[in-house]
């Protein structure tokens, strides 16, 4: 029986356009009705290439594209970013401001305007779409230092998200939130680990990373949702191989990327990470 609706979910591309291209090609084989991107699209060496790939996918397939902002998009689009320096927090300078400025310099004004259309969270069918977790989003609003203006809180709160190795006890507050907020499913990313967990019919699905996995599997991940079967819906995790030399070439071309200046041989560290799925 053919499903009535198909959606693909991806997250945490981290500026890896060769990986994203391979993932989109794999998604196209499944003829999805909608593609959902769950944040941190631009956080890497080819932000413009990743933006172009998604926008071209939407235009060429005439299918719906829905995007949620991740930490990187929130940082990039922070109003009055120069005033962050007034806080004097070492986390900010260096290297984060310099990295964000590098992304901005490699994106067009049209790209930035498109990124501004992303929602922080979105109720989608019976689910919540969020980059990290609903509890992290609440914490940004109510637990951040009151000295910070609202637009700057994201810089000082980096949520833990929902991780693959969470115990039942650690997952319980998230399932409780779902019960209290009439939510059947959460689709998220942030932790770069793809997994599906269920409790009393409620489902948490982490799409992993479509550009920089950290679960010791180097292949980018994405998730396929199929609805309309007589037995209900199906959610499956897919992994995709791509030509690693393509991203290595982008590392070499963009040796001025500020993250590469943090310590000697950082480009080689990135290559090792992307080749193994094991972050240092």
């Amino acid at each position: 029986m053919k499903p009535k609706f198909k959606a693909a979910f991806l997250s945490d591309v981290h500026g890896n356009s060769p990986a994203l291209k391979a993932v989109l090609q794999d998604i196209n084989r499944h003829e999805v009705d909608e593609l959902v991107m769950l944040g941190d699209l631009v956080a890497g060496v080819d932000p413009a290439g990743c933006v172009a790939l998604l926008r071209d996918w939407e235009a060429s397939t005439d299918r719906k594209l829905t995007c949620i902002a991740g930490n990187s998009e929130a940082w990039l689009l922070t109003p009055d970013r120069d005033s962050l320096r007034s806080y004097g927090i070492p986390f900010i300078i260096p290297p984060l401001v310099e990295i964000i400025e590098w992304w901005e310099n490699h994106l067009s004004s049209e790209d930035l305007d498109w990124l501004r259309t992303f929602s922080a969270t979105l109720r989608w069918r019976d689910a919540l779409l969020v980059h990290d977790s609903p509890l992290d989003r609440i914490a940004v609003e109510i637990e951040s230092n009151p000295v910070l203006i609202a637009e700057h809180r994201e810089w000082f709160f980096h949520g833990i998200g929902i991780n693959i190795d969470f115990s039942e006890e650690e997952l319980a507050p998230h399932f409780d939130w779902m019960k209290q907020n009439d939510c059947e499913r959460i689709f998220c990313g942030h932790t770069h680990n793809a997994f599906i967990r269920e409790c009393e019919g409620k489902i948490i699905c982490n799409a992993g990373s479509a550009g920089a996995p950290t679960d010791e599997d180097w292949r980018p991940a994405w998730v396929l949702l199929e609805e309309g079967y007589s037995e209900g819906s199906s959610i499956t995790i897919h992994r995709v191989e791509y030509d690693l030399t393509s991203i290595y070439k982008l590392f070499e071309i963009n040796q001025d990327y500020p993250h590469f200046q943090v310590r000697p041989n950082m480009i080689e560290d990135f290559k090792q990470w992307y080749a193994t799925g094991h972050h240092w």
Side-chain angles (χ1 to χ4, degrees):
M1 179 180 177
K2 184 178 179 181
K4 295 180 181 177
F5 177 78
K6 289 185 182 182
F9 298 82
L10 58 85
S11 187
D12 296 275
V13 177
H14 274 248
N16 186 345
S17 52
L20 178 58
K21 183 177 181 180
V23 166
L24 292 176
Q25 289 172 344
D26 196 44
I27 287 171
N28 285 342
R29 297 192 303 108
H30 295 267
E31 299 181 341
V32 300
D33 300 289
E34 185 169 352
L35 173 61
V36 179
M37 197 286 299
L38 295 166
D40 279 4
L41 173 68
V42 301
V45 297
D46 192 15
C50 291
V51 167
L53 281 168
L54 275 192
R55 299 188 72 185
D56 289 348
W57 181 90
E58 183 179 34
S60 63
T61 64
D62 199 27
R63 305 294 172 88
K64 186 175 182 181
L65 173 65
T66 298
C67 296
I68 298 298
N71 307 105
S72 60
E73 287 80 30
W75 293 332
L76 177 64
L77 301 174
T78 299
D80 192 20
R81 203 167 58 227
D82 287 343
S83 68
L84 284 164
R85 291 179 167 87
S86 67
Y87 297 119
I89 306 297
F91 171 66
I92 292 180
I93 349 173
L96 193 53
V97 167
E98 286 82 355
I99 292 173
I100 277 43
E101 289 173 346
W102 192 94
W103 298 340
E104 185 176 52
N105 290 336
H106 287 75
L107 291 163
S108 68
S109 58
E110 184 180 4
D111 292 337
L112 293 169
D113 287 342
W114 180 70
L115 292 171
R116 288 187 181 94
T117 67
F118 292 9
S119 301
T121 64
L122 185 67
R123 294 302 293 257
W124 181 89
R125 301 169 78 88
D126 64 357
L128 177 77
L129 306 181
V130 59
H131 176 65
D132 37 28
S133 87
L135 303 186
D136 288 335
R137 294 298 92 202
I138 292 170
V140 169
E141 295 299 322
I142 67 174
E143 295 181 9
S144 294
N145 189 326
V147 171
L148 307 173
I149 64 172
E151 291 82 359
H152 291 167
R153 290 173 182 165
E154 194 76 37
W155 288 74
F156 299 88
F157 184 91
H158 194 70
I160 60 173
I162 309 176
N163 217 324
I164 191 171
D165 57 1
F166 271 14
S167 65
E168 290 185 8
E169 182 179 4
E170 290 172 307
L171 283 174
H174 300 86
F175 285 119
D176 288 343
W177 182 92
M178 295 170 76
K179 293 174 185 176
Q180 294 163 10
N181 290 273
D182 192 27
C183 179
E184 297 300 313
R185 296 180 284 199
I186 291 174
F187 290 97
C188 59
H190 187 57
T191 67
H192 297 225
N193 287 256
F195 66 90
I196 302 165
R197 297 286 288 272
E198 184 173 357
C199 179
E200 299 179 4
K202 307 286 188 183
I203 294 173
I204 295 174
C205 177
N206 192 310
S209 173
T214 60
D215 56 0
E216 301 187 358
D217 183 341
W218 69 274
R219 299 170 301 166
W222 68 277
V223 166
L224 175 65
L225 167 68
E226 298 176 281
E227 292 183 334
Y229 292 114
S230 56
E231 63 271 24
S233 62
S234 168
I235 301 176
T236 52
I237 296 168
H238 296 250
R239 305 302 289 243
V240 182
E241 294 188 2
Y242 73 106
D243 181 6
L244 283 165
T245 62
S246 299
I247 187 62
Y248 295 168
K249 288 177 182 177
L250 287 175
F251 291 163
E252 298 297 338
I253 290 170
N254 295 289
Q255 292 189 39
D256 65 332
Y257 186 49
H259 207 151
F260 294 156
Q261 318 308 318
V262 172
R263 65 171 185 260
N265 301 317
M266 198 67 167
I267 290 180
E268 295 305 314
D269 290 342
F270 266 81
K271 288 180 180 179
Q272 183 71 10
W273 169 16
Y274 281 43
T276 62
H278 180 75
H279 189 272
W280 59 82

